[in-house]
């Protein structure tokens, strides 16, 4: 890997050749700031403004509504299931892909990436086609009284589908860059495979694991389209937080809808801050390793 | 480059981890997606064609693809301007603006949807002044366009930003010292080397906007043939138990997004070939 040279010191004259005239600079900065304010800052602000528009009391009573609590519980449950499973899968897949050479590796990585390029609605649809009343396994499931669609299993499956690539994608480049020398040394010194993984590999990839989990969790808790298709919107039972946001909004219960939305917005902001911190750790790890 | 390449690894666990990977991948991703294609094969070509060429389907596809293309074009231009400001200039709040570019990635789509609707509704902070100018955004196709711009911003910015950061300043200095004015240096030297990244960002934003659902449906109005996007039509067909219709539309969209991703991969390979060896 080529190392980036530290920025060279430049004289004022050379600097002048490399930048635009003042008015041009001013216009570009103004356009960028206005655009980001309109499209990013204001939508965020409006969520909180609407949530608190009837006062703090209304805000908290909206959040403590039994339906809201049930949606929060379901969201946490589904996120725990899908993050947990995708964490194990992501580590296992990254081990196979990063630590070994085999044919078709690039193809396998693009298959893992596939869910990123599928519309959320289609991600839900594929499970309706499998488990729905007119689906492949629907009649069999129905005759055995097993509920998959319009119940937690399908919500979890759709969420696992849309969050499938996150952990693996965070770990594969990191583990490829780290190579296999440390693990090979541990094995030759008599460590078992699992010991090697937990004592050597895991400490090296811990920031990457956290990074993948963070992004996976944010998407799992916020997923709307895929979950909407498979959930059936049964009140108090199969509504996740994003689905309840939609239902309350369509019923003109704006304060309640935006109150729950504000929790999800806070989750997004916390995720972004944590992501920035983790990226710094990952960068540090990289630059110490390159030497 | 990637360590340990080109040599047989002595590490254990390849068979086990590869087996688990392929199994889990098949169960969660490949079998469900294959099910979609198999379901389509149950349709006769005439049926399939009939569904796709029905007026409502055609209009929904036109709206989704057309507006997504227009929104990605806006993102291409505005994304370039934003990247330029973030990378090349110093101004108050720069780091904060840099950080919030990712908000459309992180904000759940339903939240973005109701927030944009509240903002652009006729009594909203931006909707009210626009209404005075006679521009109605919410519940019209313009609303769809706005939502698609929102979700596409990070794609262009985040693909172009690292390339512009890595760009060799010496090339610019050489161009300037050879007598090129600033505009020539930018348009003939810098922008051409950004083209692969710009096209990649455009394609990613386009692909995302075509399939977008949550942030669009609240602001769209969802009037058939006017402001009804293709993903919503899939949901409507499902709720009417017209699985064949839903599947046919889904297959077209899926194939389109695979083609876009394929194009992106080719673009990135092209970009790597163009890159001068460091």
């Amino acid at each position: 890997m080529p190392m980036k040279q530290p920025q060279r010191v430049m004289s004022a004259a050379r600097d002048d050749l490399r930048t635009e005239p003042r008015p041009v600079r001013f216009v570009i900065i103004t356009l960028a700031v206005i655009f980001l304010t309109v499209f990013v800052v204001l939508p965020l602000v409006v969520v909180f403004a609407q949530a608190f528009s009837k006062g703090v009391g209304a805000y908290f009573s909206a959040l403590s509504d039994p339906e809201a609590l049930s949606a929060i519980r379901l969201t946490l449950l589904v996120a725990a299931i899908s993050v947990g499973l995708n964490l194990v899968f992501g580590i296992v897949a990254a081990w196979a892909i990063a630590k070994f050479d085999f044919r078709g590796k690039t193809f396998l990585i693009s298959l893992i990436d596939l869910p990123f390029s599928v519309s959320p609605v289609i991600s839900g649809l594929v499970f309706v086609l499998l488990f729905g009343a007119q689906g492949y396994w629907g009649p069999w499931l129905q005759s055995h009284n097993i509920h998959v669609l319009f119940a937690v299993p399908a919500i979890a499956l759709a969420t696992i589908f849309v969050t499938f690539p996150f952990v693996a994608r965070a770990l594969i480049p990191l583990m490829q860059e780290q190579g296999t020398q440390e693990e090979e040394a541990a094995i030759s010194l008599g460590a078992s495979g699992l010991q090697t993984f937990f004592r050597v590999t895991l400490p090296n990839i811990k920031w990457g694991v956290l990074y993948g989990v963070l992004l996976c969790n944010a998407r799992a808790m916020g997923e709307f389209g895929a979950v909407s298709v498979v959930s059936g919107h049964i009140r108090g039972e199969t509504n996740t937080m994003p689905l309840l946001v939609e239902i309350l909004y369509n019923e003109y219960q704006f304060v309640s809808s935006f109150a729950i939305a504000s929790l999800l917005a806070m989750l997004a902001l916390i995720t972004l801050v944590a992501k920035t911190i983790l990226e710094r750790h990952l960068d540090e790890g990289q630059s110490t390793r390159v030497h | 480059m990637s360590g340990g390449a080109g040599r047989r690894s002595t590490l254990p666990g390849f068979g086990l981890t590869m087996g688990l990977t392929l199994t889990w991948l098949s169960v969660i991703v490949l079998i469900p997606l294959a099910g979609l294609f198999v379901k389509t094969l149950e349709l006769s070509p005439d049926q399939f064609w009939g569904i796709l060429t029905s007026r409502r389907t055609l209009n929904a596809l036109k709206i989704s693809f057309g507006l997504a293309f227009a929104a990605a074009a806006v993102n291409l231009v505005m994304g370039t301007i934003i990247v330029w400001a973030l990378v090349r200039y110093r101004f108050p709040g720069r780091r904060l603006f840099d950080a919030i570019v990712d908000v459309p990635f992180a904000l759940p789509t339903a939240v973005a949807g109701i927030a944009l609707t509240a903002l652009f509704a006729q009594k909203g902070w931006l909707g009210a002044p626009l209404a005075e100018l006679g521009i109605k955004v919410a519940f019209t196709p313009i609303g769809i366009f706005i939502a698609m711009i929102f979700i596409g911003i990070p794609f262009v910015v985040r693909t172009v930003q690292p390339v512009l950061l890595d760009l060799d300043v010496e090339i610019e200095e050489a161009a300037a010292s050879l007598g090129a004015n600033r505009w020539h240096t930018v348009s003939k030297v810098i922008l051409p080397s950004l083209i692969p990244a710009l096209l990649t960002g455009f394609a990613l934003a386009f692909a995302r906007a075509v399939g977008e659902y949550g942030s669009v449906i609240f602001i769209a109005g969802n009037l058939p043939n006017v402001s009804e996007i293709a993903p919503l039509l899939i949901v409507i067909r499902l709720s009417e138990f017209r699985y064949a219709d839903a599947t046919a539309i889904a297959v077209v969209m899926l194939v389109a997004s695979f083609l876009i991703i394929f194009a992106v991969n080719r673009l990135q390979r092209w970009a790597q070939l163009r890159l001068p060896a460091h």
Side-chain angles (χ1 to χ4, degrees):
Chain A
M1 277 290 206
M3 274 283 287
K4 282 253 87 197
Q5 291 297 319
Q7 279 297 310
R8 37 197 84 47
V9 186
M10 269 170 295
S11 68
R14 280 175 87 195
D15 201 34
D16 216 23
L17 294 174
R18 290 196 44 243
T19 192
E20 289 72 49
R22 273 186 80 97
V24 177
R25 266 188 283 180
F26 179 77
V27 169
I28 288 178
I29 292 174
T30 311
L31 280 175
V33 166
I34 290 177
F35 186 84
L36 287 176
T37 305
V38 167
F39 280 95
V40 183
V41 179
L42 287 182
L44 268 180
V45 176
V46 90
V47 170
F48 293 95
Q50 295 275 346
F52 287 102
S53 61
K54 296 264 158 65
V56 180
Y59 177 80
F60 283 104
S61 79
L63 291 185
S64 51
D65 185 86
E67 253 185 85
L69 293 177
S70 128
I72 293 171
R73 264 196 303 273
L74 181 60
T75 299
L76 293 175
L77 172 71
V78 169
I81 295 171
S82 39
V83 171
L85 287 172
N86 277 332
L87 172 64
V88 174
F89 161 78
I91 292 175
V92 164
W95 180 269
I97 290 171
K99 299 292 184 187
F100 299 92
D101 283 324
F102 55 92
R103 282 174 53 158
K105 189 186 277 195
T106 326
F107 183 62
L108 181 58
I109 295 176
S110 22
L111 287 182
I112 290 175
D113 268 344
L114 218 51
F116 276 164
S117 47
V118 176
S119 166
V121 166
I122 299 175
S123 311
L125 168 70
V126 293
F127 292 105
V128 175
L129 294 181
L130 291 183
F131 301 115
Q134 298 176 35
Y136 296 105
W137 302 323
W140 186 88
L141 290 168
Q142 222 161 27
S143 65
H144 289 77
N145 210 14
I146 304 172
H147 298 282
V148 177
L149 199 66
F150 309 140
V152 176
I155 298 175
L157 273 173
T159 309
I160 295 169
F161 181 98
V162 294
T163 56
F164 191 81
F166 281 105
V167 179
R169 283 311 262 157
L171 291 181
I172 291 168
L174 184 67
M175 284 167 71
Q176 274 179 333
E177 195 198 320
Q178 288 174 350
T180 54
Q181 282 173 358
E182 289 183 40
E183 283 85 359
E184 277 163 12
I187 295 282
S188 71
L189 290 171
S192 73
L194 278 181
Q195 277 175 327
T196 307
F197 173 75
F198 281 106
R199 304 253 178 94
V200 179
T201 311
L202 198 56
N204 277 338
I205 60 169
K206 59 175 188 285
W207 297 118
V209 171
L210 272 177
Y211 189 79
V213 165
L214 181 79
L215 298 186
C216 183
N217 177 65
R219 180 71 194 265
M221 290 190 170
E223 178 54 31
F224 175 70
V227 170
S228 165
V229 171
V230 299
S231 119
H233 302 93
I234 306 166
R235 301 197 81 134
E237 278 182 47
T238 62
N239 280 330
T240 59
M241 290 164 74
L243 296 183
L244 188 58
V245 166
E246 179 197 22
I247 289 177
L248 293 171
Y249 188 87
N250 287 339
E251 290 173 349
Y252 303 102
Q253 301 192 44
F254 293 126
V255 170
S256 303
S257 174
F258 277 100
I260 295 167
S262 75
L263 291 185
L264 291 166
M266 275 188 266
L267 169 77
L269 292 176
I270 293 168
T271 302
L272 283 184
V273 172
K275 177 171 164 277
T276 316
I277 296 170
L278 283 176
E279 274 165 0
R280 208 166 298 155
H281 278 292
L282 283 165
D283 281 349
E284 269 168 30
Q286 245 167 20
S287 51
T288 48
R289 213 171 303 111
V290 169
H291 287 295
Chain B
M1 289 286 94
S2 62
R7 149 174 88 81
R8 277 243 154 259
S9 178
T10 55
L11 296 178
F14 179 68
L16 179 70
T17 53
M18 184 53 85
L20 283 172
T21 302
L22 292 178
T23 309
W24 186 236
L25 179 70
S26 305
V27 169
I28 298 293
V29 180
L30 300 182
I31 293 173
L33 282 180
L36 182 67
F37 285 96
V38 174
K39 190 85 187 171
T40 321
L41 292 178
E42 288 173 10
L43 295 172
S44 74
D46 281 349
Q47 274 176 311
F48 185 74
W49 193 244
I51 293 167
L52 289 185
T53 51
S54 80
R55 180 161 164 262
R56 191 164 168 190
T57 313
L58 268 185
N59 279 325
L61 288 171
K62 250 187 252 170
I63 290 163
S64 274
F65 281 90
L67 287 175
F69 192 86
V74 171
N75 282 323
L76 182 67
V77 175
M78 288 313 300
T80 311
I81 290 174
I82 292 168
V83 170
W84 198 270
L86 292 178
V87 171
R88 290 299 175 100
Y89 305 145
R90 297 292 170 266
F91 57 93
R94 184 186 64 93
R95 288 172 61 98
L96 184 69
F97 279 109
D98 193 353
I100 63 166
V101 165
D102 282 327
V103 165
F105 273 157
L107 198 65
T109 55
V111 179
I114 62 167
L116 289 170
T117 312
L119 206 54
F120 286 98
Q122 230 152 18
K123 286 181 183 157
W125 295 345
L126 297 173
L130 285 169
E132 286 200 0
L133 298 171
I135 303 169
K136 201 165 170 283
V137 176
F139 318 123
T140 70
I142 305 174
I144 304 176
F145 178 58
I146 295 279
M148 286 176 166
I149 293 174
F150 168 82
I151 47 140
I153 303 164
F155 289 96
V156 176
V157 174
R158 293 303 186 223
T159 39
V160 178
Q161 197 170 23
V163 182
L164 186 61
L165 273 169
D166 267 5
L167 208 67
D168 209 338
V169 278
E170 271 150 28
I171 301 173
E172 278 174 59
E173 285 165 9
S177 65
L178 289 171
N181 70 25
R182 187 61 192 160
W183 172 242
H184 277 126
T185 312
V186 170
S187 62
K188 299 267 162 62
V189 179
I190 302 177
L191 284 182
S193 53
L194 296 182
I195 283 174
L198 284 168
L199 288 176
T200 303
F202 172 84
L204 291 174
F206 175 58
R208 172 72 199 262
V210 167
E212 182 56 27
Y213 178 69
S215 49
V216 174
I217 55 161
F218 294 95
I219 200 172
N222 305 326
L223 209 64
N225 299 313
V226 177
S227 55
E228 183 179 70
I229 54 168
L232 178 67
L233 189 55
I234 294 178
V235 172
I236 291 173
R237 291 307 188 216
L238 268 181
S239 67
E240 297 167 344
F241 298 102
R242 291 167 66 173
Y243 282 19
D245 295 52
T247 312
I249 304 168
V251 161
V252 171
M253 297 189 64
L254 204 57
V255 169
S257 60
F258 288 168
L259 288 177
I260 297 169
I261 296 307
F262 180 70
V264 167
N265 285 339
R266 296 304 293 264
L267 270 171
Q268 271 163 350
R269 208 162 298 166
W270 176 50
Q272 272 165 2
L273 287 177
R274 277 169 48 121
L275 215 67
H278 278 291

